[in-house]
Amino acid sequence: MIFLFFLLFPSVSSYGFVTYDFATDMQQLNETRQNDECFFNASEITTVTIEQWPTNCTEVWSIAKFTSRSSEIPYDKLKNTFKTLSVLRGAMRIENTTFTNLSFFGKLRRINNIKRLVTSITDNNNLKNANVLFSLSYTYPNAPIQIVNNPQLDVSALCENINYENFAEMYVYNNLKDCGETLHNPYQLFYLVIGCVGTNFTSSNIGNYANCTSLFGDTEITGTTGLENFSVLSKVKNITGRVNIHDTSFENLSFFGSVERMKGNKNETNFNLHDNPNLTRLGMDSLNYLYNVDAWFVFNISNNHPEFCLTMEEMQFFTSSNIYINKFEAKFCDITTRKDGEKVCIYNTLATLDNNCPHVMGNILVASGDENDTQKLSSVKYIYGSLAIVNTSLTDLSFLGNLTNVAVLGDTSPALQLISNPQLDNVYIPNLQYPFSPGPHRVVIRDNAPGLFPDTISCLTYENQIKSYVFYDGADCYGDSGIVEETENSSRTPNYPMFLLLYFTYFL
């Protein structure tokens, strides 16, 4: 099936969507070269330059670009020249040729694109068979790939190809068959769709995007009014690239209510929601997947309406996602029911808390005299507030066996505090991960049983378990009392390479 979308193009190269410059790309590729004899630096492959191809090499450093002039090369010559090539260290570009197939790459199995150069298969009017693409593996994915304007080429099989699941910038458009909306593996959550190129959306151009199911590239919405104009984006399910929404009059982002997946492609702020003075709700109710191939999915919510709030479900999703938070200026919405119907309890005191509460809203305090009521917390999975256990005679936290997350919004209290419990010598909480607070520390542990963490490795092990830095007895796990503030992130994990190094140093 062919989808025809109205597109607004960014600045582009001669073909397709993505800008590239051969001289710059070749300079970068030259930095990775390890073998002068297997290096091909011609700007395109023609009847003349093909004679320079290192035919004895199975691995070649090259930007292998085929153009209309490449079409003059006899097929047998192509086949004989590339018959030994198994690894291309660089990129492939096939643009404006009359090739009907790419079978002359008989043994090509892998592209090692360490500089993440653009791969381009565009404007090939006769190309019917590109099966080599479906068998290729990529050592360094997440480079831009565009397969565009090949009217006889069926590339729908790419949607089911595991080799392409980590590519964030993938432009597949206007071929005989494009990818469509296909999920090849629900566990991998690979979602490859054709779509529209992101731009600076305005009230005047938004109508051009009425049929888009996916947005690729940077998307910006600023200085606009009239939420109803943006309802044309209600079909969008997948966003790949940075999203920046600022200085609008929006009260929510309900026009993105169908968005299920957001995928970052740069180590920058991937979702930036700031300076929207009327914004009180998020409204992206279908969002269930955030991903960045290279790093954390970076999130920023700041300087919106003072009453901007997140629901329990939204915060539950964010704290279970692989995200890095710059700022998270929000509070919990005053909503005490859930769409899934699970029980929600409002915390006043531990003595009055209902039994069998999987979700608790409020700042829970377990203090001296509350020890006999701690079993009321045995069913709790999520706390929308903080948890402080202070001045008790508890020896362990086994009553928190089901606790999955603790998240604070609206103040700077630590998410978890374990303070002045002189007999507490076991703080293991088996299911707790990624506790969150916008304050300087997420987990504070001090003045409990002597030797709770007898050495650095035991403290780091605990950090590894809960996926959070720990402020222990006034310092970090290394004994540094000048620990940097942790306000910038929720799901950022500790330094696990250093953890492993220390582990092997101590025990092996």
Side-chain angles (χ1 to χ4, degrees):
M1 181 181 298
I2 299 177
F3 293 82
L4 298 177
F5 293 154
F6 293 96
L7 294 178
L8 295 179
F9 295 96
S11 50
V12 297
S13 59
S14 299
Y15 307 100
F17 295 102
V18 187
T19 300
Y20 61 81
D21 176 75
F22 175 80
T24 302
D25 290 351
M26 182 54 67
Q27 182 179 359
Q28 293 187 61
L29 182 63
N30 193 42
E31 296 172 358
T32 71
R33 176 170 49 156
Q34 299 175 6
N35 187 333
D36 291 342
E37 295 179 357
C38 297
F39 185 66
F40 179 83
N41 63 358
S43 61
E44 60 179 313
I45 297 173
T46 67
T47 55
V48 175
T49 61
I50 195 171
E51 302 299 336
Q52 303 168 22
W53 186 270
T55 55
N56 294 325
C57 297
T58 59
E59 299 187 15
V60 176
W61 281 259
S62 172
I63 300 172
K65 182 173 182 178
F66 298 82
T67 67
S68 58
R69 297 205 295 169
S70 310
S71 303
E72 300 170 3
I73 305 172
Y75 176 82
D76 288 344
K77 177 66 174 177
L78 291 168
K79 184 176 180 180
N80 187 58
T81 300
F82 300 107
K83 65 182 180 181
T84 61
L85 180 66
S86 61
V87 178
L88 178 63
R89 293 184 175 272
M92 178 192 299
R93 294 168 184 169
I94 301 173
E95 299 175 338
N96 201 30
T97 74
T98 59
F99 293 158
T100 60
N101 64 75
L102 306 180
S103 59
F104 52 84
F105 288 120
K107 294 184 178 180
L108 183 61
R109 294 293 178 267
R110 179 160 55 91
I111 292 182
N112 188 318
N113 190 357
I114 190 171
K115 292 298 184 178
R116 296 175 182 173
L117 308 175
V118 177
T119 293
S120 178
I121 313 293
T122 59
D123 293 280
N124 301 286
N125 289 334
N126 299 331
L127 190 60
K128 298 179 180 179
N129 184 335
N131 288 344
V132 64
L133 297 176
F134 308 141
S135 60
L136 283 176
S137 63
Y138 293 85
T139 306
Y140 295 91
N142 199 24
I145 291 183
Q146 56 183 8
I147 306 175
V148 178
N149 296 335
N150 304 287
Q152 299 191 59
L153 184 62
D154 179 357
V155 291
S156 57
L158 280 180
C159 302
E160 301 177 358
N161 193 312
I162 196 171
N163 292 339
Y164 291 87
E165 66 182 349
N166 283 328
F167 284 89
E169 292 184 81
M170 191 128 184
Y171 305 92
V172 181
Y173 176 72
N174 209 21
N175 304 288
L176 176 65
K177 290 187 178 181
D178 296 311
C179 281
E181 300 176 16
T182 301
L183 182 66
H184 97 278
N185 184 333
Y187 298 100
Q188 294 287 347
L189 289 172
F190 174 46
Y191 192 76
L192 180 61
V193 299
I194 61 172
C196 304
V197 177
T199 185
N200 188 343
F201 289 114
T202 66
S203 298
S204 60
N205 70 22
I206 192 65
N208 294 336
Y209 292 79
N211 293 315
C212 297
T213 61
S214 186
L215 298 176
F216 293 98
D218 293 345
T219 295
E220 183 173 13
I221 304 176
T222 183
T224 60
T225 59
L227 184 66
E228 64 280 356
N229 295 329
F230 286 80
S231 62
V232 298
L233 297 176
S234 61
K235 296 179 182 179
V236 174
K237 293 185 177 181
N238 182 66
I239 298 177
T240 296
R242 293 174 296 180
V243 175
N244 187 9
I245 302 175
H246 62 98
D247 297 289
T248 73
S249 63
F250 296 157
E251 296 178 1
N252 58 65
L253 305 185
S254 57
F255 54 86
F256 276 152
S258 297
V259 173
E260 297 174 1
R261 298 168 181 84
M262 298 182 69
K263 199 170 185 180
N265 57 19
K266 295 179 175 68
N267 190 17
E268 301 175 18
T269 302
N270 302 120
F271 189 86
N272 199 358
L273 187 60
H274 63 100
D275 296 292
N276 301 283
N278 299 330
L279 194 73
T280 58
R281 294 288 300 275
L282 188 61
M284 299 176 66
D285 295 341
S286 300
L287 187 63
N288 59 45
Y289 183 55
L290 299 173
Y291 181 60
N292 191 335
V293 173
D294 291 329
W296 309 103
F297 188 98
V298 183
F299 224 96
N300 180 72
I301 299 178
S302 62
N303 202 30
N304 299 299
H305 192 285
E307 296 300 311
F308 178 83
C309 67
L310 297 173
T311 66
M312 288 180 281
E313 291 90 342
E314 289 168 341
M315 197 60 191
Q316 182 178 328
F317 166 65
F318 288 135
T319 54
S320 62
S321 299
N322 190 37
I323 66 174
Y324 183 105
I325 292 175
N326 287 329
K327 290 185 179 180
F328 221 53
E329 295 176 359
K331 62 182 185 178
F332 285 111
C333 298
D334 189 18
I335 301 174
T336 58
T337 58
R338 293 175 55 89
K339 293 179 180 179
D340 58 15
E342 290 189 358
K343 184 177 180 179
V344 178
C345 297
I346 307 300
Y347 178 83
N348 292 304
T349 66
L350 190 58
T352 60
L353 184 68
D354 286 350
N355 293 313
N356 302 316
C357 292
H359 303 273
V360 177
M361 298 192 73
N363 298 320
I364 297 177
L365 173 64
V366 181
S368 177
D370 292 327
E371 290 86 349
N372 292 334
D373 290 319
T374 56
Q375 289 307 309
K376 291 187 175 185
L377 301 177
S378 62
S379 300
V380 175
K381 295 181 180 179
Y382 295 94
I383 298 174
Y384 309 95
S386 62
L387 172 61
I389 300 177
V390 182
N391 294 319
T392 73
S393 59
L394 295 170
T395 59
D396 61 53
L397 305 178
S398 58
F399 56 91
L400 297 175
N402 286 308
L403 184 62
T404 301
N405 192 259
V406 182
V408 175
L409 287 179
D411 69 60
T412 58
S413 303
L416 176 64
Q417 297 183 77
L418 306 175
I419 298 174
S420 299
N421 304 283
Q423 300 180 55
L424 186 63
D425 60 7
N426 184 350
V427 293
Y428 179 57
I429 306 174
N431 294 304
L432 178 65
Q433 290 190 340
Y434 304 125
F436 174 74
S437 169
H441 305 298
R442 297 192 297 272
V443 177
V444 173
I445 301 175
R446 62 178 170 83
D447 299 328
N448 297 294
L452 178 61
F453 297 139
D455 50 40
T456 298
I457 196 66
S458 61
C459 183
L460 291 174
T461 299
Y462 188 72
E463 286 188 340
N464 184 34
Q465 290 169 349
I466 66 172
K467 303 295 188 293
S468 173
Y469 289 103
V470 171
F471 202 57
Y472 174 60
D473 283 348
D476 66 7
C477 284
Y478 299 99
D480 183 1
S481 60
I483 185 172
V484 296
E485 291 189 357
E486 301 168 74
T487 55
E488 70 271 29
N489 64 78
S490 92
S491 302
R492 183 182 171 202
T493 50
N495 187 345
Y496 296 131
M498 179 60 71
F499 164 76
L500 292 174
L501 176 62
L502 285 170
Y503 179 86
F504 289 122
T505 301
Y506 273 68
F507 295 109
L508 296 180

